[in-house]
Amino acid sequence: MTESESTPHAAVRLQGITKRFPGVVANHDIDLTVVSGTVHALCGENGAGKSTLMKILYGMQKPDEGTIEVEGRQVAFHSPSDAIAVGIGMVHQHFKLADNFTVLENVILGSEPGSAFGLDLDAARRRILEISDRYGLDVDPDPVVAELGVGDRQRVEILKALYRGARILILDEPTAVLVPQEVDELFAALNELKAEGLTVVFISHKLDEVRKIADAITVIRRGTTVATVDPREVTTRQLAELMVGSELPSPQTTSSTVTDRPVLTVENLTVTDADGRALIDDVSFTIHAGEVLGIAGVEGNGQAELVDAIMGIRASTGRVLLESDDISNESTRHRREAGVAFIPEDRIRQGLLLEAPLWENRVLGHQTTEPNSKGGLIDRRHARADTQRIVADYDVRTPSIDVTASALSGGNQQKLIVGREMSGQPRLLLAAHPTRGVDVGAQAAIWDHLRHARAQGLAVLLISADLDELIGLSDSLRVILRGRLVAQADPATVTPEDLGSAMTGAGARAEGAA
Amino acid sequence: MSRFDPRRAGMALVAPAMAFVVAVALSSVVLVVAGHAPMTAFRSMFDFGVQPDNVVNIVNKASGYYLSALAVAIGFRMNLFNIGVDGQYRLAAMCAAVIGAAVALPGPLHILLIVVVAVIVGAIWAGIAGYLKVYRGVSEVISTIMLNYIGTALAAWMLTPAVFATLENNIVKTPDLPESGWFPGFATSGGEVYGFVVVSALVGVGYWFLLGRTRFGFDLRATGMSEPAAVASGVDVKKMVVASMLLSGGVAGLVGLPILLGASHSYGQDFPAGIGFTGIAIALLGRNHPIGIAFASVLWGFLDVSNQILDLEGIPKEIVTIMQGTIVLAVVVAYEVVRRWRVNSEQRRVAAQLGGPQAPAAPGPATTAGVA
């Protein structure tokens, strides 16, 4: 265990780290020094290169250039077990626990105590309780993990890392899945760890939380470290500017184009999971022609389910009307043919056929309509021509429409999807994170396309984690929390801070608990 | 199946060629270990295989293999594993033989009836597996294997003299088809080539057209590449599962017909079994492509026929079984290697043509994006 010394020394020092993937530089010239016994936050937008950097530090990937020092000694990792051996532990955003094992079994999995022929479970239990006590983790070794809540599982993951001797803990987006009280509990635990001399690397883009917990903040932008700042000397706004750069384009819509003609009416929509728990709970709203309705919320509060239900991908109860037609019981294909366009949240999963050429991806989702097909046959000539149009209009950077979708960068994939979904004059667009992962220039272009379509009378349901985008593009805003629409806001007056607190339930309790 | 790209076509050939070379090399090792000269064995196989009567034999065998592999490939293109082609074609051939022998119709109609019966029986037998998958969540791998056993038992029961069969000269078989139900063949110097070869080829063309050119084929391939993306695009996956199992089973129903209509004219205890399993290997080797499958079928037919010479040379003909097994194993590995290499090289090529690094391709898990 390293004690804090009078002269702070580095637990981790990365110098000149560069990592290239085919056609992509994920990290370049990363410099990062994490002082021992502190909580060091790593901030950056999605796709800025945080995850790649952490994978390098945890031995999951090897850097092409640069050096890694851990507690003063230069190291080279070939696998995570090398990283574990020098005292680095990682808590992944998506927990790696076996649900049908107990906490004890999960913790010892892979480093079982005792001889080859017998497990020494008592020794393991004693150590787990000892670690739990020492760091105030409050972990019970006996319940099955499936019965635990998210916050408990996270503490099990932390304990698992400590059990393997971690002195430096990497937490990847640890608060993304937590409710506010759980966040407070997590922060209490982190302070405990810090007090015991452990070092925490905390990856997040929730700037308020980062400022609350971190002793130092390093900002990553476009694959490189741009600044390391003291949280006491910087505002959230300044941090945001560091993260996105100063050339931040404004998504402001100029004048309202909202009409009084309803395009989408959702009444009492409810979606339940296999256990009957409501994922979307009695949601009702209307979007008019020319209106953008923004849905703000911490991810995982039902946004994906809401969109899936409106698309007809997921079973739901309640009514969905497209203009005056009740489409509640119609198939996804019928809804698409009726003019519902869909930019999915997870483009790799729901939006693309990675192994298919671009022009076939243009056809996807619009198989039954012109120019893609005619009388049951795929109209290759016209589909290809229209793909060329999208590539030109939406600035999809590709040498040809015959390369597979997997060959494109994420931003270009997204531009292709946006172009495809805006084709054929849809009446309603369900857009989940339409500019996620695209570069700033393309982002501005996508916003322009959305604004233009809105002026033509398109109704848009916009889901985004980028609050500036939400506020800038939306004509009205709703906040979703645990599957319910809990608050409304006027984009003309609301600030990202207000919206942020409503999203976590802090501001919503008074307004929308009904 | 997109427009011709020499680079892509070249790479498509690399994998099966590699697999074949590996298989020949490994078989050579086995031959040497067993004390035989590999070159002699291969040469005598080749010399034997190109004799006219053997060429006819190879083509005739390949016509059944081809249909079987197409049936398997229809499933493969959608990530469905129809392991039950074997049961499907045997039951189909049995029923077709019984019904074909019981009626008398003018030539083409008689053949058409037999074909339709076989297609329907094959489709029903595979459709059971499709139904079970969609409405009961039973894996089609399990159900089609089970249905093989049930189909075999059913065919065996039907093939008892008390039911549909006759006993002639100690051979149990269904009554012979009247001659109007025989499919005319092509006479050659090496014997008669089954006329049904033409039907096999037409089914291959149909397969290419259906998958590559039609909306149904697009939906089927989309489902195979990414089910969530297909669902989001409006494909009714349940319907597609049932439809493609019916289609696969229908083609499977044809597998026994080249023999039934061209040679045996009845279904008996010696009716060939196992073509359904061979079809799996051939579909893999032929990469689910109609032309690739055609080559693979002929190769398989060649190996099956030409191994007969080996016993005469004092070499165990089981060496060919080793070779076939190695080809399948090697081809699966080779395809994956080539696929990865191709994806990487394409990404590099795209990046190079666009000049300079692009924004990171973030095939990101759904995480929250920046609150700025």
Side-chain angles (χ1 to χ4, degrees):
Chain A
M1 201 60 44
T2 35
E3 295 296 322
S4 305
E5 294 167 14
S6 48
T7 51
H9 72 279
V12 175
R13 189 196 301 272
L14 303 177
Q15 278 178 312
I17 296 283
T18 297
K19 175 73 185 173
R20 297 181 199 87
F21 293 112
V24 172
V25 181
N27 279 164
H28 61 98
D29 300 321
I30 295 264
D31 291 311
L32 175 68
T33 303
V34 180
V35 176
S36 191
T38 65
V39 174
H40 194 115
L42 204 59
C43 288
E45 279 192 299
N46 243 28
K50 294 168 298 191
S51 298
T52 305
L53 182 60
M54 285 309 105
K55 282 179 183 163
I56 289 171
L57 184 53
Y58 193 52
M60 292 161 79
Q61 256 154 12
K62 285 180 78 170
D64 297 320
E65 288 167 30
T67 59
I68 306 172
E69 281 175 35
V70 175
E71 288 167 348
R73 273 203 320 276
Q74 191 165 330
V75 291
F77 299 143
H78 300 284
S79 74
S81 46
D82 293 345
I84 292 168
V86 300
I88 295 177
M90 177 120 167
V91 175
H92 295 273
Q93 185 183 3
H94 304 284
F95 305 142
K96 316 249 183 215
L97 297 173
D99 277 358
N100 51 349
F101 274 24
T102 65
V103 169
L104 172 73
E105 287 163 344
N106 264 292
V107 170
I108 64 174
L109 189 66
S111 56
E112 293 84 352
S115 70
F117 299 103
L119 287 175
D120 190 351
L121 291 181
D122 288 337
R125 183 188 310 274
R126 275 196 303 278
R127 258 196 77 200
I128 288 171
L129 289 172
E130 181 192 304
I131 295 170
S132 172
D133 268 3
R134 178 162 174 193
Y135 300 108
L137 290 174
D138 192 23
V139 168
D140 179 351
D142 294 317
V144 174
V145 162
E147 294 165 6
L148 298 183
V150 176
D152 292 325
R153 289 179 196 213
Q154 191 170 52
R155 287 198 301 279
V156 172
E157 283 277 17
I158 293 174
L159 194 144
K160 199 168 124 189
L162 297 174
Y163 184 89
R164 283 161 177 68
R167 297 183 304 280
I168 300 159
L169 268 181
I170 305 169
L171 302 175
D172 187 8
E173 307 264 6
T175 61
V177 288
L178 300 181
V179 299
Q181 304 93 302
E182 289 174 327
V183 171
D184 291 340
E185 285 169 25
L186 172 69
F187 285 0
L190 293 186
N191 280 324
E192 200 83 33
L193 296 175
K194 194 169 82 172
E196 292 284 335
L198 268 67
T199 309
V200 177
V201 179
F202 185 96
I203 303 171
S204 180
H205 51 241
K206 295 191 184 164
L207 301 179
D208 292 326
E209 288 173 5
V210 162
R211 288 181 56 219
K212 205 152 91 190
I213 185 73
D215 299 302
I217 303 172
T218 296
V219 178
I220 296 193
R221 185 170 79 223
R222 304 196 154 234
T224 192
T225 42
V226 290
T228 298
V229 295
D230 184 332
R232 281 157 301 189
E233 292 166 8
V234 13
T235 65
T236 304
R237 183 80 211 164
Q238 285 168 323
L239 265 183
E241 277 170 8
L242 280 173
M243 259 167 62
V244 298
S246 51
E247 75 277 38
L248 210 155
S250 152
Q252 300 298 325
T253 47
T254 42
S255 57
S256 173
T257 58
V258 182
T259 64
D260 56 2
R261 182 165 63 87
V263 172
L264 175 70
T265 309
V266 172
E267 289 170 4
N268 311 108
L269 190 74
T270 299
V271 175
T272 53
D273 66 9
D275 304 328
R277 207 162 51 92
L279 301 171
I280 291 291
D281 194 355
D282 196 22
V283 163
S284 302
F285 60 85
T286 302
I287 310 179
H288 300 88
E291 179 182 1
V292 177
L293 174 69
I295 302 278
V298 176
E299 218 152 312
N301 273 285
Q303 294 94 322
E305 291 79 7
L306 176 63
V307 172
D308 281 357
I310 298 173
M311 274 312 289
I313 295 170
R314 207 180 249 273
S316 60
T317 59
R319 295 213 313 158
V320 179
L321 289 108
L322 188 65
E323 298 193 358
S324 56
D325 303 329
D326 189 338
I327 57 167
S328 316
N329 298 314
E330 298 292 351
S331 66
T332 303
R333 176 149 291 166
H334 179 97
R335 295 181 200 212
R336 278 193 174 268
E337 286 169 349
V340 182
F342 176 35
I343 300 173
E345 164 182 320
D346 187 343
R347 61 175 164 255
I348 301 295
R349 218 175 75 83
Q350 285 190 309
L352 291 171
L353 302 174
L354 286 180
E355 301 154 44
L358 298 192
W359 73 267
E360 287 196 344
N361 276 287
R362 157 64 186 106
V363 175
L364 185 71
H366 305 261
Q367 291 100 309
T368 53
T369 48
E370 290 194 6
N372 299 319
S373 72
K374 239 182 198 162
L377 297 186
I378 298 290
D379 184 346
R380 292 159 74 98
R381 195 161 63 85
H382 288 106
R384 293 174 61 90
D386 200 59
T387 311
Q388 294 287 11
R389 174 190 64 80
I390 292 173
V391 164
D393 286 2
Y394 287 81
D395 189 29
V396 181
R397 306 272 170 84
T398 175
S400 117
I401 58 167
D402 288 308
V403 301
T404 56
S406 62
L408 296 194
S409 69
N412 283 309
Q413 290 172 345
Q414 184 72 9
K415 287 187 272 184
L416 180 74
I417 292 176
V418 173
R420 169 181 85 197
E421 297 304 328
M422 301 289 267
S423 304
Q425 294 186 320
R427 287 193 274 175
L428 168 70
L429 171 68
L430 309 175
H433 311 281
T435 61
R436 172 180 281 174
V438 306
D439 56 51
V440 174
Q443 185 178 41
I446 290 175
W447 285 337
D448 276 344
H449 283 290
L450 284 176
R451 262 186 230 117
H452 181 73
R454 162 179 169 270
Q456 308 284 312
L458 179 71
V460 180
L461 177 71
L462 175 68
I463 289 169
S464 178
D466 179 341
L467 295 188
D468 277 346
E469 177 173 87
L470 267 183
I471 294 170
L473 283 179
S474 300
D475 296 297
S476 48
L477 278 171
R478 297 292 191 88
V479 177
I480 193 167
L481 181 67
R482 277 170 238 130
R484 305 174 72 108
L485 294 182
V486 293
Q488 300 203 32
D490 180 355
T493 54
V494 77
T495 64
E497 287 73 22
D498 294 342
L499 212 50
S501 59
M503 280 160 56
T504 58
R509 226 161 269 141
E511 242 180 303
Chain B
M1 272 184 226
S2 65
R3 64 178 38 187
F4 186 74
D5 176 355
R7 184 192 187 89
R8 191 173 282 211
M11 281 193 276
L13 293 179
V14 169
M18 265 163 57
F20 188 70
V21 169
V22 168
V24 169
L26 276 175
S27 314
S28 303
V29 170
V30 174
L31 281 170
V32 169
V33 169
H36 303 287
M39 280 323 289
T40 320
F42 294 140
R43 180 159 309 129
S44 54
M45 274 173 71
F46 182 79
D47 291 342
F48 184 72
V50 295
Q51 287 170 19
D53 51 336
N54 291 329
V55 169
V56 168
N57 204 350
I58 289 167
V59 170
N60 285 346
K61 268 184 182 287
S63 66
Y65 290 166
Y66 187 62
L67 289 166
S68 171
L70 286 179
V72 174
I74 291 168
F76 275 166
R77 289 307 290 265
M78 197 171 134
N79 265 348
L80 277 178
F81 291 77
N82 182 3
I83 313 293
V85 172
D86 214 61
Q88 288 149 24
Y89 89 79
R90 283 156 69 188
L91 200 60
M94 174 77 209
C95 295
V98 169
I99 292 176
V103 299
L105 285 166
L109 273 182
H110 199 164
I111 292 170
L112 187 67
L113 174 78
I114 294 172
V115 169
V116 168
V117 167
V119 166
I120 290 174
V121 172
I124 289 174
W125 210 242
I128 297 172
Y131 175 87
L132 287 174
K133 183 180 176 74
V134 168
Y135 295 101
R136 288 289 176 269
V138 181
S139 159
E140 79 283 1
V141 178
I142 308 292
S143 59
T144 51
I145 291 174
M146 298 301 203
L147 284 165
N148 276 342
Y149 288 105
I150 300 172
T152 305
L154 204 56
W157 170 75
M158 289 164 81
L159 198 61
T160 48
V163 189
F164 292 123
T166 56
L167 187 64
E168 275 174 46
N169 307 328
N170 243 2
I171 297 171
V172 183
K173 62 182 194 57
T174 60
D176 277 337
L177 297 175
E179 256 186 69
S180 57
W182 298 11
F183 205 107
F186 308 107
T188 70
S189 62
E192 199 180 68
V193 175
Y194 296 157
F196 214 79
V197 166
V198 176
V199 176
S200 297
L202 287 178
V203 173
V205 173
Y207 169 92
W208 166 82
F209 184 79
L210 184 75
L211 267 82
R213 299 294 156 133
T214 67
R215 220 165 67 193
F216 175 84
F218 185 93
D219 285 356
L220 189 148
R221 288 187 293 123
T223 312
M225 284 189 264
S226 167
E227 191 175 316
V231 169
S233 84
V235 175
D236 184 338
V237 170
K238 287 185 173 181
K239 257 192 210 155
M240 287 304 294
V241 168
V242 173
S244 51
M245 280 310 274
L246 288 175
L247 199 62
S248 175
V251 174
L254 296 174
V255 169
L257 296 192
I259 301 155
L260 180 68
L261 300 181
S264 70
H265 306 306
S266 67
Y267 187 98
Q269 280 166 327
D270 57 346
F271 200 81
I275 302 176
F277 296 110
T278 308
I280 298 171
I282 293 173
L284 279 174
L285 180 60
R287 262 208 123 174
N288 302 329
H289 190 285
I291 295 173
I293 293 174
F295 279 113
S297 302
V298 172
L299 175 66
W300 227 257
F302 166 79
L303 291 172
D304 275 358
V305 170
S306 63
N307 69 26
Q308 290 153 13
I309 191 67
L310 292 179
D311 273 345
L312 297 179
E313 305 259 330
I315 301 169
K317 67 174 181 222
E318 282 69 22
I319 191 71
V320 168
T321 311
I322 295 179
M323 208 161 146
Q324 289 175 331
T326 329
I327 289 177
V328 173
L329 200 61
V331 86
V332 172
V333 176
Y335 280 142
E336 182 58 20
V337 170
V338 169
R339 191 190 67 80
R340 285 188 197 180
W341 181 70
R342 207 181 66 198
V343 168
N344 280 336
S345 84
E346 189 172 58
Q347 282 175 349
R348 263 194 301 274
R349 198 159 52 93
V350 169
Q353 284 188 20
L354 297 177
Q358 305 175 54
T367 58
T368 48
V371 175

